[in-house]
Amino acid sequence: MVSPEGWGEEPDATMQLKALGSFNAEETVQLRMPSQRTAGTESEGSETSRISGISETAEKAASSEATSAERIPGEGKTGRSPRSKNRNPRKAPRPSLRSRLAADPRLASLLSVLAGPAARLAPYARRVKPEYPRPGRTDWRRWLPSWRQWLGGAFAGLGLSSLLLVVAYAATDIPDNLNSYATQQDNVYFWSDGTPMARTGWVQRQAMPLRDIPEDVRWAVLAAENENFYNDPGVSVMGITRAVLRTFGQGDTQGGSTITQQYVKNVYLNQDQTVRRKFTEAMIALKLGNRMSKEKILESYLNTSWFGRGTYGIQRAAQAYYGKDVNELNASEAAFLAALLKGAGLYDPTLSGANRDRAEERWSWTLDRMVDIGKLSPAERATYKKFPQPLKSNPLYSTGEQSDYLVELASQYAKKSGEISDKQFDLGGYQIYTTFDKKRERRLTDVVTKARKKALKDDPKTARAAHYGAASVAADGRILAVYGGPDHRKQGYNESNATTVPAGTAFTPFVYAAGLQHGVRTTRDGEPTPVTGASPYNGDDDVPVRTPEGPYWDRSGRKVAASNDGDRSYGQISLHRAMALSANTPFMQLGMDTGLDKVRATAVASGLLPSSIGARVPALSMGSSTPSAIRMAGGYATFAAAGEHTEPYSVRRITLNGAKIPLDLPEPRRAVRAEVAEEVTSALTESFRTAHPDGAPATAKVAGKPGTTEKDTAAWYVGTHESVSTAVVVYRIDLAESLEPLPLEGIAGTAGDSVPYGIWSGALGLLG
């Protein structure tokens, strides 16, 4: 056997191993050889081949010995040694980490790129590798890293932080959906004169394009919040640092976020004061700054920021604090509104004296900053010496009482005529300019409220079930005023728009118009005969109604007859005079002669809804139909408009964030001939003058007629003054019991002192 010392000297020598007799084929041979430096790769290869040959020879000898060996008694049936039973087959070694990484094609290219820099940095890495305790140092200094180690650690930390920021930036996505409140706006309703009437919605916000926001307003906000807005990348490192310090400790309330960060917080995130939220805010702000223009970010920020008084956005803030649109603000007012961005509860001067002091200080500072950055001249700054005191309260008040009824009518009409879905309308941003006249509405509300209080005082038990509906409609269809009830939030429905009670004898002008328009037939197959105001009819009480074949019988087998108020008989009377004296019987017969189908068609053409028209029986002419006060006023307005009817409407213009929305406004259409409308108006004028000779100046164009019902369940007065038609109805329904009308029991007054007429004349400002 050759000694190990000889391997290095005799490279060609061979090794012979003699297998022992007890050698088992299943046993392995392990050789441990001392490592020895060899000169050159060639020598190393030679030694490797020799060792390989030795192993190969040993394996063959062992195999031969195992084959020829005899079975030893007591060794078991298999002939294997007891020691071999407990040995496990040797497992293949696990590949190294580098081998596994290199096997991945995606990482192989990365490793090849990093191999060169790693090799160059390896010597330096060995230098900064800490040796503890450090040689050459004593005491505690042995454990301090060297300056190279400190510097290396700093660079490593910076590199790792940069890598983490890059990964975080790539992994952060801008949310697809904004916070719900960030896009929702309110809908604002305006009176006919353009002044605010009411608003609806969870928030007060109206988005305005940046071009409609004056530069002084923009720069007042930028000077106060982020003067370097147009140059920053969207985040402020110092601001984030201050925010983190405030999160972990006690800090001041100084802001530090850029406008981009504030916008991200407003519309994508929440207001939680956490490091995680702040970090996410910064990442989104960086990405948003690369995708959205500065102008768009500023516009969005100004339209979503909270300004107090329930308002979001600069437009609503201008209206809430100064009662004007944003394009009417000056630099001084804008500087105050910019102060509110720091916290409206701390800077609204109407809340406390301390707030006033803070607001004035911040206002002055903002104006000075505008001068410093060159956005306000010193001369103009000198003109703003007095603090621009805002309004004491928000003029964009919420709805309530009568305004609820107006909003209900306007919103329904706006959605229908503007083709706006409920979902779109609920998102807000609409400005609805109504037809409602503020003075008329106030006067109508006051007079009805007065009548209601009087009834409750005189007969509280009966008056508790009383209802008062009223509406004024112009000849061109504009709804000018309505009275819908004492409080929409308690009652829940609009009395001016309810089709609940019959029109009674207030319906007879439509019968008169139908006869004048179509003529009458007295025989079944005869031609129509023209009718005029001078045509005579029987005005006696309880005159049976006739058809060409004879009397009209109802289903119970009784003749149908009409009755006059007070059972009064007038004998032969002209239709014009019958209308002036409110004689009913002539018009029941006129309806039969004209044709109930034509009566119905004329009423519908004049403005009554088809669904409210009664059955085609003689009672139709006596007002079995149940129109609303709005529709009755619109029907009489047709006569005042020379026979042209325009559907009642409550909205004249709609805009969405200032952009006009196409609106399908009604067009006038011919209902009856002009001469027919003129004759009906003439008869109604005589009716008013006969019943109320001192009710209006002699030169006033006034026409009107009362309406009563057979069972005394409703009392009306409908008429026109100049070109405005007004209808008033009083009725009783106990909503707790049923929707069936109840007798008035005197709460509507008498013929000489009619409550509906009193409301009508008071609403129009007449003498009474």
Side-chain angles (χ1 to χ4, degrees):
M1 180 174 180
V2 180
S3 64
E5 290 81 357
W7 294 354
E9 299 175 357
E10 299 179 12
D12 294 332
T14 59
M15 176 182 288
Q16 296 180 355
L17 296 178
K18 183 177 181 181
L20 299 176
S22 61
F23 181 79
N24 191 292
E26 293 185 1
E27 294 182 345
T28 58
V29 177
Q30 297 182 354
L31 298 179
R32 295 185 179 178
M33 300 181 182
S35 61
Q36 185 172 354
R37 293 180 180 268
T38 59
T41 57
E42 185 176 347
S43 175
E44 293 174 5
S46 176
E47 290 292 335
T48 303
S49 64
R50 283 185 185 152
I51 295 173
S52 176
I54 294 171
S55 300
E56 207 173 53
T57 305
E59 289 176 5
K60 289 179 180 178
S63 176
S64 175
E65 182 75 14
T67 305
S68 61
E70 295 181 359
R71 184 175 299 175
I72 300 175
E75 292 282 339
K77 294 182 179 181
T78 59
R80 297 178 182 177
S81 65
R83 191 173 66 177
S84 67
K85 294 181 180 180
N86 297 326
R87 289 188 174 272
N88 294 323
R90 188 176 182 181
K91 296 181 180 178
R94 179 180 177 84
S96 65
L97 175 63
R98 182 170 182 175
S99 301
R100 295 199 304 272
L101 294 177
D104 190 336
R106 294 174 297 179
L107 296 176
S109 58
L110 178 61
L111 290 175
S112 63
V113 172
L114 296 178
R120 289 191 293 271
L121 292 175
Y124 301 99
R126 283 193 294 271
R127 289 184 183 181
V128 300
K129 181 180 179 182
E131 296 182 21
Y132 293 101
R134 291 181 62 198
R137 300 290 189 274
T138 60
D139 301 329
W140 56 270
R141 286 184 291 272
R142 294 181 303 165
W143 303 98
L144 289 179
S146 68
W147 68 270
R148 292 186 181 89
Q149 293 167 348
W150 280 113
L151 186 61
F155 278 114
L158 180 62
L160 182 60
S161 300
S162 301
L163 179 62
L164 290 176
L165 287 175
V166 171
V167 173
Y169 179 84
T172 302
D173 292 325
I174 299 176
D176 294 330
N177 298 320
L178 303 180
N179 291 337
S180 58
Y181 70 87
T183 54
Q184 188 174 7
Q185 304 179 58
D186 58 354
N187 295 321
V188 181
Y189 300 78
F190 298 89
W191 294 103
S192 59
D193 62 1
T195 57
M197 181 185 77
R199 70 170 182 85
T200 60
W202 293 106
V203 297
Q204 293 187 48
R205 179 189 287 116
Q206 178 189 344
M208 295 293 290
L210 193 64
R211 63 177 180 273
D212 293 338
I213 301 175
E215 286 197 12
D216 281 347
V217 177
R218 302 183 216 171
W219 279 107
V221 173
L222 292 176
E225 294 294 311
N226 187 188
E227 64 184 60
N228 297 319
F229 169 72
Y230 284 102
N231 298 319
D232 65 39
V235 297
S236 168
V237 176
M238 292 300 297
I240 294 175
T241 303
R242 282 195 296 269
V244 172
L245 292 176
R246 288 199 305 271
T247 301
F248 288 112
Q250 297 295 328
D252 58 17
T253 58
Q254 180 183 4
S257 297
T258 65
I259 279 180
T260 306
Q261 289 175 258
Q262 293 182 50
Y263 171 65
V264 167
K265 179 178 66 175
N266 289 342
V267 303
Y268 293 118
L269 305 175
N270 53 45
Q271 306 299 317
D272 294 343
Q273 298 296 324
T274 62
V275 175
R276 180 177 181 181
R277 198 273 300 161
K278 199 71 180 177
F279 183 78
T280 305
E281 170 192 305
M283 291 298 103
I284 296 178
L286 280 172
K287 187 161 287 188
L288 196 68
N290 292 328
R291 294 187 183 181
M292 188 182 293
S293 68
K294 289 289 187 179
E295 288 75 14
K296 187 62 179 178
I297 293 174
L298 180 59
E299 175 186 301
S300 302
Y301 172 75
L302 291 173
N303 284 320
T304 56
S305 295
W306 165 255
F307 285 88
R309 294 193 178 182
T311 62
Y312 288 87
I314 193 71
Q315 167 70 354
R316 282 289 175 267
Q319 294 172 339
Y321 288 93
Y322 290 108
K324 60 177 70 173
D325 290 332
V326 65
N327 58 11
E328 299 173 352
L329 294 175
N330 58 37
S332 177
E333 295 164 337
F336 163 69
L337 294 181
L340 296 172
L341 294 169
K342 297 292 292 179
L346 296 174
Y347 290 90
D348 186 344
T350 62
L351 299 180
S352 68
N355 276 20
R356 164 71 187 233
D357 294 339
R358 278 190 293 266
E360 190 166 354
E361 180 182 357
R362 183 75 176 176
W363 160 79
S364 180
W365 176 85
T366 300
L367 290 174
D368 291 340
R369 290 298 302 153
M370 292 179 70
V371 174
D372 293 342
I373 64 179
K375 298 304 177 181
L376 187 67
S377 67
E380 187 178 0
R381 170 66 181 93
T383 63
Y384 299 131
K385 296 180 179 180
K386 185 178 180 181
F387 178 71
Q389 183 68 24
L391 301 174
K392 292 184 178 180
S393 61
N394 187 349
L396 292 176
Y397 51 82
S398 300
T399 59
E401 297 186 352
Q402 282 305 302
S403 57
D404 273 343
Y405 298 106
L406 305 180
V407 166
E408 179 187 58
L409 289 173
S411 61
Q412 290 175 351
Y413 187 84
K415 287 186 283 188
K416 180 179 179 181
S417 298
E419 296 182 354
I420 305 170
S421 68
D422 289 338
K423 181 179 180 180
Q424 290 173 320
F425 199 77
D426 289 343
L427 287 176
Y430 293 94
Q431 298 79 51
I432 299 98
Y433 296 87
T434 73
T435 61
F436 303 126
D437 186 294
K438 186 191 301 183
K439 293 181 179 179
R440 287 182 180 272
E441 180 64 32
R442 184 180 297 116
R443 195 162 55 207
L444 177 60
T445 300
D446 290 345
V447 70
V448 176
T449 302
K450 183 178 179 180
R452 184 187 292 275
K453 288 182 178 179
K454 184 178 184 302
L456 287 170
K457 181 180 178 180
D458 295 343
D459 190 354
K461 182 178 179 180
T462 304
R464 271 197 292 268
H467 298 270
Y468 301 75
S472 292
V473 179
D476 59 4
R478 290 174 296 124
I479 302 176
L480 303 179
V482 301
Y483 181 86
D487 191 340
H488 186 277
R489 297 176 183 179
K490 294 179 180 179
Q491 181 169 279
Y493 78 99
N494 191 337
E495 292 174 351
S496 70
N497 202 32
T499 56
T500 307
V501 294
T505 55
F507 185 83
T508 55
F510 301 110
V511 181
Y512 189 22
L516 297 173
Q517 178 77 13
H518 300 286
V520 298
R521 281 190 175 92
T522 56
T523 61
R524 177 63 62 187
D525 299 323
E527 292 295 322
T529 303
V531 170
T532 67
S535 299
Y537 267 78
N538 190 342
D540 287 341
D541 187 50
D542 290 333
V543 176
V545 176
R546 298 187 62 83
T547 67
E549 287 79 19
Y552 185 94
W553 302 82
D554 63 15
R555 293 183 178 180
S556 62
R558 293 179 299 178
K559 292 181 180 180
V560 175
S563 297
N564 294 320
D565 291 339
D567 297 330
R568 183 178 177 182
S569 293
Y570 297 91
Q572 289 293 310
I573 189 174
S574 69
L575 290 175
H576 182 97
R577 187 62 178 167
M579 180 63 65
L581 298 177
S582 296
N584 301 329
T585 53
F587 293 102
M588 180 175 274
Q589 186 60 53
L590 177 63
M592 295 299 295
D593 294 344
T594 303
L596 296 178
D597 56 338
K598 292 182 175 58
V599 171
R600 183 183 192 279
T602 301
V604 171
S606 299
L608 273 60
L609 293 176
S611 59
S612 69
I613 304 298
R616 280 186 287 182
V617 296
L620 174 65
S621 299
M622 289 295 99
S624 61
S625 301
T626 57
S628 66
I630 292 176
R631 287 292 170 171
M632 282 295 284
Y636 274 53
T638 301
F639 304 135
E644 284 194 336
H645 173 69
T646 304
E647 281 289 287
Y649 65 98
S650 56
V651 177
R652 56 187 175 84
R653 183 163 65 96
I654 304 176
T655 59
L656 176 59
N657 298 327
K660 189 175 182 180
I661 299 295
L663 192 63
D664 186 17
L665 292 177
E667 296 289 338
R669 52 180 173 78
R670 176 65 58 186
V672 295
R673 297 189 303 272
E675 59 270 22
V676 171
E678 182 179 356
E679 168 55 29
V680 174
T681 301
S682 174
L684 292 174
T685 299
E686 187 172 338
S687 175
F688 172 80
R689 294 294 181 181
T690 300
H692 309 281
D694 300 325
T699 57
K701 296 181 179 179
V702 185
K705 185 184 186 309
T708 57
T709 58
E710 182 181 1
K711 296 181 180 180
D712 192 33
T713 55
W716 292 78
Y717 196 90
V718 189
T720 57
H721 177 221
E722 302 301 334
S723 59
V724 177
S725 175
T726 301
V728 179
V729 59
V730 179
Y731 60 96
R732 288 181 69 237
I733 292 180
D734 189 347
L735 296 176
E737 297 294 334
S738 71
L739 294 178
E740 190 69 24
L742 302 173
L744 291 171
E745 297 183 2
I747 65 168
T750 61
D753 185 20
S754 168
V755 171
Y757 173 76
I759 294 173
W760 181 87
S761 61
L764 297 177
L766 299 177
L767 301 178

